[in-house]
Amino acid sequence: MNRTLLFKYKPGSLTKDATLMLTFEKPTEKQLSTDQNLVAWKVIPLRYVKGSTATNTIPVTYSARLAFGSSQGMEGNIVYGETVAEMKEGQTVDLNLRDGITEWGAPTDITPATKLIKAKNNTAYYQQISVGTIETKGGSEIYNPTFLWKVGTKLTAEASFNPILRAYVNLGYMQSEFITADIASDQITSWDLTAQQPTSTWDFKETTQGGYTITKAGMLAITINWEDKVSQEVVNAVFANISSAITAKGMVFHAEHNDKDRNRRCIVSQEGCSCEMLSATLKSIISEALVKDGSSVMGKSIPREQMDMYWTVSDESGTAGENEAEEIYEGTAAWYLLK
Protein backbone atom coordinates (compact mmCIF):
# COMPACT_ATOMS: atom_id res chain seq x y z
CA MET A 1 0.00 0.00 0.00
CA ASN A 2 1.54 3.27 -1.14
CA ARG A 3 -0.01 6.59 -0.17
CA THR A 4 1.23 10.02 -1.22
CA LEU A 5 -0.13 13.20 0.35
CA LEU A 6 0.65 16.39 -1.56
CA PHE A 7 0.72 19.40 0.75
CA LYS A 8 0.15 22.71 -1.07
CA TYR A 9 0.80 26.11 0.46
CA LYS A 10 1.42 29.67 -0.67
CA PRO A 11 4.56 31.18 0.90
CA GLY A 12 3.20 34.69 0.32
CA SER A 13 -0.01 33.92 2.23
CA LEU A 14 1.82 33.10 5.47
CA THR A 15 2.78 35.79 7.97
CA LYS A 16 5.77 33.83 9.30
CA ASP A 17 7.63 30.56 8.83
CA ALA A 18 5.72 27.47 9.94
CA THR A 19 6.67 23.86 10.60
CA LEU A 20 4.37 20.91 9.89
CA MET A 21 5.05 17.81 12.00
CA LEU A 22 3.58 14.40 11.18
CA THR A 23 3.44 11.48 13.61
CA PHE A 24 1.76 8.09 13.55
CA GLU A 25 -0.66 6.55 16.02
CA LYS A 26 1.25 4.78 18.79
CA PRO A 27 1.65 1.09 17.88
CA THR A 28 0.90 -0.20 21.37
CA GLU A 29 -2.08 -0.16 23.72
CA LYS A 30 0.17 0.65 26.67
CA GLN A 31 0.27 4.20 28.03
CA LEU A 32 3.14 6.41 26.90
CA SER A 33 5.89 6.79 29.50
CA THR A 34 9.58 7.59 29.89
CA ASP A 35 10.28 4.13 28.44
CA GLN A 36 8.22 4.58 25.25
CA ASN A 37 7.67 7.67 23.15
CA LEU A 38 6.22 8.87 19.88
CA VAL A 39 8.82 10.04 17.35
CA ALA A 40 8.42 12.89 14.85
CA TRP A 41 8.11 10.92 11.60
CA LYS A 42 8.29 13.93 9.27
CA VAL A 43 9.01 17.59 10.01
CA ILE A 44 8.37 19.90 7.05
CA PRO A 45 9.47 23.56 7.04
CA LEU A 46 7.00 25.90 5.33
CA ARG A 47 8.79 29.16 4.59
CA TYR A 48 7.19 32.60 4.45
CA VAL A 49 8.21 34.59 1.36
CA LYS A 50 6.95 38.16 1.32
CA GLY A 51 5.08 39.06 -1.86
CA SER A 52 5.32 35.58 -3.36
CA THR A 53 2.41 34.45 -5.56
CA ALA A 54 3.80 30.93 -6.03
CA THR A 55 2.17 27.73 -4.81
CA ASN A 56 4.58 25.15 -3.39
CA THR A 57 3.78 21.44 -3.30
CA ILE A 58 5.52 19.06 -0.88
CA PRO A 59 4.99 15.30 -1.32
CA VAL A 60 4.93 12.94 1.66
CA THR A 61 4.89 9.21 0.88
CA TYR A 62 4.02 6.24 3.08
CA SER A 63 5.08 2.88 1.64
CA ALA A 64 3.76 0.47 4.32
CA ARG A 65 7.24 -1.08 4.54
CA LEU A 66 7.84 -1.51 8.28
CA ALA A 67 11.06 -2.10 10.17
CA PHE A 68 12.57 -2.21 13.64
CA GLY A 69 15.59 -0.02 14.29
CA SER A 70 18.33 -0.18 16.89
CA SER A 71 19.72 3.24 17.80
CA GLN A 72 23.50 3.37 18.01
CA GLY A 73 23.28 6.60 19.97
CA MET A 74 21.20 9.61 20.93
CA GLU A 75 22.03 13.23 20.17
CA GLY A 76 19.78 15.08 22.58
CA ASN A 77 16.40 13.50 21.86
CA ILE A 78 17.20 12.72 18.21
CA VAL A 79 17.20 9.04 17.23
CA TYR A 80 20.10 8.35 14.85
CA GLY A 81 22.56 5.68 13.67
CA GLU A 82 19.89 3.06 13.04
CA THR A 83 20.58 -0.62 12.37
CA VAL A 84 17.40 -1.79 10.64
CA ALA A 85 15.50 -5.07 10.26
CA GLU A 86 12.64 -4.92 7.73
CA MET A 87 9.57 -6.75 9.01
CA LYS A 88 6.31 -8.23 7.79
CA GLU A 89 3.18 -8.66 9.88
CA GLY A 90 3.39 -11.73 12.08
CA GLN A 91 7.20 -11.78 12.37
CA THR A 92 9.59 -11.56 15.31
CA VAL A 93 13.29 -10.69 15.37
CA ASP A 94 16.12 -10.76 17.93
CA LEU A 95 18.54 -7.92 18.61
CA ASN A 96 21.98 -9.36 19.40
CA LEU A 97 25.30 -7.91 20.54
CA ARG A 98 28.44 -8.96 18.69
CA ASP A 99 31.86 -7.41 19.43
CA GLY A 100 30.18 -4.46 21.12
CA ILE A 101 27.92 -3.72 18.13
CA THR A 102 24.19 -4.48 18.00
CA GLU A 103 22.88 -6.42 15.02
CA TRP A 104 19.56 -7.95 14.06
CA GLY A 105 19.01 -11.63 13.44
CA ALA A 106 16.80 -12.93 10.64
CA PRO A 107 13.04 -12.34 11.16
CA THR A 108 10.98 -15.49 11.75
CA ASP A 109 7.24 -16.14 11.67
CA ILE A 110 5.26 -16.01 14.91
CA THR A 111 3.14 -19.06 15.78
CA PRO A 112 0.17 -18.89 16.00
CA ALA A 113 -0.27 -16.28 13.26
CA THR A 114 -0.74 -12.68 14.39
CA LYS A 115 -0.68 -9.16 12.95
CA LEU A 116 1.86 -8.06 15.55
CA ILE A 117 5.55 -7.57 14.89
CA LYS A 118 7.96 -8.20 17.76
CA ALA A 119 11.56 -7.33 18.60
CA LYS A 120 13.41 -9.06 21.47
CA ASN A 121 16.39 -7.46 23.19
CA ASN A 122 18.72 -10.45 23.32
CA THR A 123 21.61 -8.43 24.77
CA ALA A 124 22.69 -7.97 28.38
CA TYR A 125 21.90 -4.23 28.40
CA TYR A 126 19.02 -1.80 27.93
CA GLN A 127 18.54 -1.01 24.23
CA GLN A 128 16.76 1.78 22.35
CA ILE A 129 14.50 0.00 19.85
CA SER A 130 12.29 1.87 17.41
CA VAL A 131 9.68 0.95 14.83
CA GLY A 132 9.31 2.93 11.63
CA THR A 133 8.87 3.01 7.88
CA ILE A 134 11.25 2.52 4.96
CA GLU A 135 11.08 4.61 1.80
CA THR A 136 13.21 4.59 -1.33
CA LYS A 137 14.56 8.02 -2.19
CA GLY A 138 17.17 8.79 -4.83
CA GLY A 139 18.12 5.14 -5.06
CA SER A 140 18.69 4.88 -1.29
CA GLU A 141 16.49 3.28 1.34
CA ILE A 142 15.72 5.64 4.21
CA TYR A 143 14.41 4.54 7.60
CA ASN A 144 12.14 7.00 9.43
CA PRO A 145 11.31 5.99 13.04
CA THR A 146 7.80 6.55 14.36
CA PHE A 147 8.02 5.16 17.91
CA LEU A 148 10.79 4.41 20.42
CA TRP A 149 11.08 1.97 23.32
CA LYS A 150 13.71 1.59 26.02
CA VAL A 151 13.77 -2.20 26.26
CA GLY A 152 15.32 -4.15 29.12
CA THR A 153 17.48 -7.22 28.63
CA LYS A 154 15.62 -10.32 27.37
CA LEU A 155 12.40 -8.29 27.07
CA THR A 156 10.32 -7.77 23.92
CA ALA A 157 8.82 -4.72 22.21
CA GLU A 158 5.72 -5.49 20.17
CA ALA A 159 3.85 -3.30 17.72
CA SER A 160 0.52 -3.36 15.93
CA PHE A 161 1.09 -0.66 13.34
CA ASN A 162 -1.98 1.38 12.42
CA PRO A 163 -1.35 3.90 9.60
CA ILE A 164 -3.18 6.75 11.35
CA LEU A 165 -1.20 9.88 10.53
CA ARG A 166 -1.57 13.00 12.71
CA ALA A 167 -0.59 16.60 11.91
CA TYR A 168 0.72 19.34 14.21
CA VAL A 169 2.10 22.81 13.56
CA ASN A 170 4.94 24.74 15.24
CA LEU A 171 5.62 22.39 18.17
CA GLY A 172 9.38 22.86 17.89
CA TYR A 173 10.41 19.24 17.33
CA MET A 174 12.99 18.07 14.80
CA GLN A 175 12.62 15.08 12.49
CA SER A 176 13.38 11.77 14.27
CA GLU A 177 13.15 13.47 17.68
CA PHE A 178 11.25 11.52 20.30
CA ILE A 179 8.39 13.42 21.90
CA THR A 180 8.24 13.77 25.67
CA ALA A 181 5.14 16.00 26.02
CA ASP A 182 1.42 15.26 25.69
CA ILE A 183 0.61 16.75 22.27
CA ALA A 184 -2.87 15.26 21.75
CA SER A 185 -4.67 18.60 22.14
CA ASP A 186 -2.38 20.27 19.56
CA GLN A 187 -3.47 18.05 16.67
CA ILE A 188 -5.03 19.95 13.77
CA THR A 189 -6.09 16.97 11.63
CA SER A 190 -5.45 13.27 11.01
CA TRP A 191 -5.73 10.69 8.23
CA ASP A 192 -6.44 6.97 8.14
CA LEU A 193 -4.10 6.22 5.25
CA THR A 194 -5.90 2.97 4.41
CA ALA A 195 -8.96 5.06 3.50
CA GLN A 196 -7.07 7.54 1.30
CA GLN A 197 -6.62 7.43 -2.45
CA PRO A 198 -3.08 6.53 -3.65
CA THR A 199 -2.50 10.26 -4.17
CA SER A 200 -4.43 13.10 -2.54
CA THR A 201 -3.90 16.86 -2.40
CA TRP A 202 -4.18 18.95 0.78
CA ASP A 203 -4.12 22.72 1.24
CA PHE A 204 -2.19 24.17 4.19
CA LYS A 205 -3.30 27.68 5.18
CA GLU A 206 -2.80 30.19 7.96
CA THR A 207 -6.03 31.72 9.30
CA THR A 208 -6.59 35.38 10.10
CA GLN A 209 -6.53 34.44 13.81
CA GLY A 210 -3.01 33.02 13.49
CA GLY A 211 -4.06 29.37 13.47
CA TYR A 212 -3.67 26.82 10.69
CA THR A 213 -5.93 24.54 8.66
CA ILE A 214 -5.30 21.59 6.36
CA THR A 215 -8.19 20.85 4.00
CA LYS A 216 -8.53 18.50 1.07
CA ALA A 217 -8.57 20.06 -2.36
CA GLY A 218 -12.21 20.39 -3.39
CA MET A 219 -13.34 21.26 0.14
CA LEU A 220 -14.66 24.39 1.80
CA ALA A 221 -13.52 25.37 5.29
CA ILE A 222 -15.52 27.88 7.31
CA THR A 223 -15.63 29.02 10.93
CA ILE A 224 -19.12 29.56 12.36
CA ASN A 225 -19.25 32.10 15.18
CA TRP A 226 -22.30 32.15 17.47
CA GLU A 227 -23.50 35.21 19.35
CA ASP A 228 -23.88 34.93 23.12
CA LYS A 229 -27.67 35.25 22.84
CA VAL A 230 -27.79 31.79 21.22
CA SER A 231 -27.86 29.11 23.90
CA GLN A 232 -25.55 26.09 23.85
CA GLU A 233 -28.66 23.92 23.50
CA VAL A 234 -29.56 25.65 20.24
CA VAL A 235 -25.96 25.45 18.97
CA ASN A 236 -25.86 21.70 19.61
CA ALA A 237 -29.24 21.16 17.96
CA VAL A 238 -28.27 23.22 14.91
CA PHE A 239 -25.06 21.25 14.38
CA ALA A 240 -26.93 17.95 14.68
CA ASN A 241 -29.31 19.16 11.96
CA ILE A 242 -26.45 20.44 9.78
CA SER A 243 -24.70 17.07 9.89
CA SER A 244 -27.80 15.04 8.99
CA ALA A 245 -28.94 17.49 6.28
CA ILE A 246 -25.53 17.57 4.58
CA THR A 247 -25.19 13.78 4.76
CA ALA A 248 -28.63 13.44 3.16
CA LYS A 249 -27.36 15.52 0.22
CA GLY A 250 -24.46 13.11 -0.32
CA MET A 251 -21.94 15.63 0.96
CA VAL A 252 -19.16 15.18 3.52
CA PHE A 253 -19.22 17.24 6.72
CA HIS A 254 -16.78 17.55 9.61
CA ALA A 255 -16.87 20.01 12.51
CA GLU A 256 -14.05 20.72 14.95
CA HIS A 257 -14.89 22.26 18.30
CA ASN A 258 -13.11 25.30 19.62
CA ASP A 259 -13.77 28.26 21.91
CA LYS A 260 -15.52 26.12 24.54
CA ASP A 261 -17.69 24.35 21.95
CA ARG A 262 -19.52 27.44 20.70
CA ASN A 263 -17.55 28.47 17.64
CA ARG A 264 -16.66 25.64 15.30
CA ARG A 265 -14.40 25.14 12.33
CA CYS A 266 -16.41 23.25 9.71
CA ILE A 267 -15.27 21.43 6.60
CA VAL A 268 -17.75 20.46 3.89
CA SER A 269 -17.07 18.82 0.54
CA GLN A 270 -18.75 17.31 -2.48
CA GLU A 271 -17.06 16.04 -5.61
CA GLY A 272 -17.49 18.37 -8.56
CA CYS A 273 -19.04 21.14 -6.45
CA SER A 274 -17.63 24.67 -6.52
CA CYS A 275 -16.71 26.54 -3.36
CA GLU A 276 -19.48 29.06 -3.98
CA MET A 277 -22.07 26.30 -4.17
CA LEU A 278 -20.69 24.62 -1.05
CA SER A 279 -20.78 27.96 0.76
CA ALA A 280 -24.37 28.67 -0.28
CA THR A 281 -25.54 25.16 0.62
CA LEU A 282 -23.93 25.19 4.06
CA LYS A 283 -25.26 28.66 4.94
CA SER A 284 -28.74 27.74 3.77
CA ILE A 285 -28.75 24.58 5.91
CA ILE A 286 -27.53 26.54 8.94
CA SER A 287 -30.28 29.12 8.46
CA GLU A 288 -32.97 26.46 8.08
CA ALA A 289 -31.73 24.65 11.19
CA LEU A 290 -31.63 27.87 13.18
CA VAL A 291 -35.17 28.78 12.12
CA LYS A 292 -36.38 25.33 13.19
CA ASP A 293 -34.46 25.05 16.46
CA GLY A 294 -34.74 28.73 17.27
CA SER A 295 -38.51 28.39 17.15
CA SER A 296 -38.62 25.23 19.25
CA VAL A 297 -35.97 26.15 21.82
CA MET A 298 -35.99 29.95 21.89
CA GLY A 299 -39.73 30.18 21.43
CA LYS A 300 -39.63 32.61 18.52
CA SER A 301 -39.09 32.55 14.78
CA ILE A 302 -36.04 34.22 13.29
CA PRO A 303 -36.47 36.06 9.97
CA ARG A 304 -33.76 35.25 7.43
CA GLU A 305 -32.71 38.89 7.22
CA GLN A 306 -31.89 38.83 10.94
CA MET A 307 -29.68 35.73 10.80
CA ASP A 308 -26.46 37.75 11.13
CA MET A 309 -27.66 38.83 14.58
CA TYR A 310 -27.24 35.22 15.71
CA TRP A 311 -24.32 33.79 13.71
CA THR A 312 -21.56 34.98 11.42
CA VAL A 313 -18.80 33.29 9.45
CA SER A 314 -15.07 33.94 9.16
CA ASP A 315 -11.97 32.38 7.59
CA GLU A 316 -14.01 31.05 4.70
CA SER A 317 -11.80 29.47 2.07
CA GLY A 318 -11.47 26.39 -0.05
CA THR A 319 -10.44 24.86 -3.32
CA ALA A 320 -12.25 23.56 -6.38
CA GLY A 321 -10.84 20.21 -7.48
CA GLU A 322 -7.12 20.30 -8.17
CA ASN A 323 -7.21 23.96 -9.26
CA GLU A 324 -5.67 26.95 -7.54
CA ALA A 325 -7.25 28.01 -4.26
CA GLU A 326 -10.66 29.58 -4.77
CA GLU A 327 -10.92 32.11 -1.98
CA ILE A 328 -14.29 33.05 -0.51
CA TYR A 329 -14.30 36.37 1.34
CA GLU A 330 -16.67 39.20 2.16
CA GLY A 331 -17.79 40.85 -1.06
CA THR A 332 -17.76 37.77 -3.31
CA ALA A 333 -20.92 36.35 -4.87
CA ALA A 334 -20.93 33.44 -2.43
CA TRP A 335 -20.96 35.81 0.52
CA TYR A 336 -24.12 37.52 -0.69
CA LEU A 337 -26.02 34.50 -2.00
CA LEU A 338 -28.17 34.39 1.12
CA LYS A 339 -28.65 38.12 1.55
Side-chain angles (χ1 to χ4, degrees):
M1 180 185 77
N2 288 307
R3 295 290 185 269
T4 297
L5 279 63
L6 302 175
F7 292 99
K8 294 171 57 179
Y9 81 102
K10 293 186 175 183
S13 296
L14 301 178
T15 61
K16 56 184 177 296
D17 291 346
T19 302
L20 174 64
M21 182 180 78
L22 303 175
T23 69
F24 277 98
E25 176 88 353
K26 63 186 179 76
T28 174
E29 294 182 356
K30 296 179 181 178
Q31 293 296 314
L32 299 181
S33 67
T34 56
D35 292 334
Q36 49 184 12
N37 302 88
L38 291 171
V39 177
W41 180 62
K42 300 283 187 179
V43 175
I44 303 167
L46 306 171
R47 303 302 186 195
Y48 161 64
V49 180
K50 184 177 181 180
S52 173
T53 58
T55 298
N56 292 350
T57 301
I58 300 172
V60 172
T61 298
Y62 166 74
S63 67
R65 292 176 60 193
L66 301 179
F68 280 118
S70 170
S71 301
Q72 301 302 304
M74 305 291 289
E75 185 174 325
N77 289 345
I78 305 295
V79 183
Y80 75 97
E82 298 284 355
T83 300
V84 174
E86 186 166 359
M87 305 292 291
K88 295 180 180 178
E89 280 189 351
Q91 288 188 329
T92 184
V93 67
D94 288 348
L95 180 65
N96 304 305
L97 189 65
R98 187 187 301 273
D99 298 327
I101 299 175
T102 57
E103 62 180 20
W104 293 103
T108 58
D109 292 337
I110 300 172
T111 304
T114 176
K115 289 189 175 182
L116 293 173
I117 55 175
K118 298 183 179 183
K120 181 179 179 181
N121 175 12
N122 208 28
T123 76
Y125 309 95
Y126 273 107
Q127 297 292 338
Q128 303 282 355
I129 295 177
S130 62
V131 67
T133 64
I134 296 175
E135 65 176 310
T136 302
K137 202 170 187 179
S140 299
E141 292 195 335
I142 300 173
Y143 173 72
N144 293 303
T146 67
F147 196 79
L148 180 71
W149 292 268
K150 182 180 180 182
V151 182
T153 179
K154 308 304 179 183
L155 297 181
T156 298
E158 60 180 42
S160 176
F161 197 87
N162 297 314
I164 307 297
L165 190 62
R166 305 187 184 281
Y168 308 84
V169 177
N170 293 346
L171 294 193
Y173 289 95
M174 299 175 64
Q175 187 155 318
S176 297
E177 182 175 359
F178 68 81
I179 297 166
T180 56
D182 181 0
I183 60 173
S185 62
D186 297 307
Q187 176 184 306
I188 61 172
T189 194
S190 65
W191 303 267
D192 180 350
L193 296 183
T194 61
Q196 298 299 318
Q197 295 296 317
T199 301
S200 56
T201 303
W202 302 85
D203 291 310
F204 178 93
K205 293 184 179 181
E206 182 178 345
T207 70
T208 55
Q209 282 79 28
Y212 298 91
T213 61
I214 298 176
T215 56
K216 190 173 184 179
M219 288 186 175
L220 174 80
I222 181 173
T223 298
I224 302 173
N225 312 291
W226 294 96
E227 297 296 328
D228 290 339
K229 68 179 72 176
V230 182
S231 70
Q232 188 65 53
E233 183 181 6
V234 171
V235 171
N236 293 341
V238 167
F239 270 95
N241 276 322
I242 293 172
S243 182
S244 59
I246 287 181
T247 301
K249 291 179 178 291
M251 304 168 76
V252 177
F253 177 76
H254 174 67
E256 297 176 351
H257 300 188
N258 56 58
D259 193 18
K260 297 183 179 179
D261 210 30
R262 292 189 59 78
N263 301 339
R264 303 195 193 186
R265 185 71 174 168
C266 300
I267 299 171
V268 60
S269 69
Q270 186 176 41
E271 186 176 353
C273 200
S274 70
C275 286
E276 289 197 351
M277 184 58 68
L278 289 171
S279 175
T281 300
L282 179 58
K283 291 174 184 176
S284 178
I285 290 173
I286 294 172
S287 295
E288 291 170 5
L290 187 54
V291 167
K292 175 184 175 182
D293 294 295
S295 297
S296 61
V297 178
M298 300 170 69
K300 63 178 180 179
S301 61
I302 304 172
R304 184 176 289 269
E305 60 268 22
Q306 295 181 12
M307 286 293 169
D308 59 359
M309 296 173 58
Y310 295 89
W311 66 277
T312 57
V313 300
S314 61
D315 292 326
E316 188 176 8
S317 62
T319 56
E322 300 295 326
N323 300 325
E324 286 294 307
E326 177 186 349
E327 300 289 347
I328 307 291
Y329 52 88
E330 188 166 5
T332 63
W335 194 273
Y336 288 108
L337 278 173
L338 296 178
K339 297 296 183 181

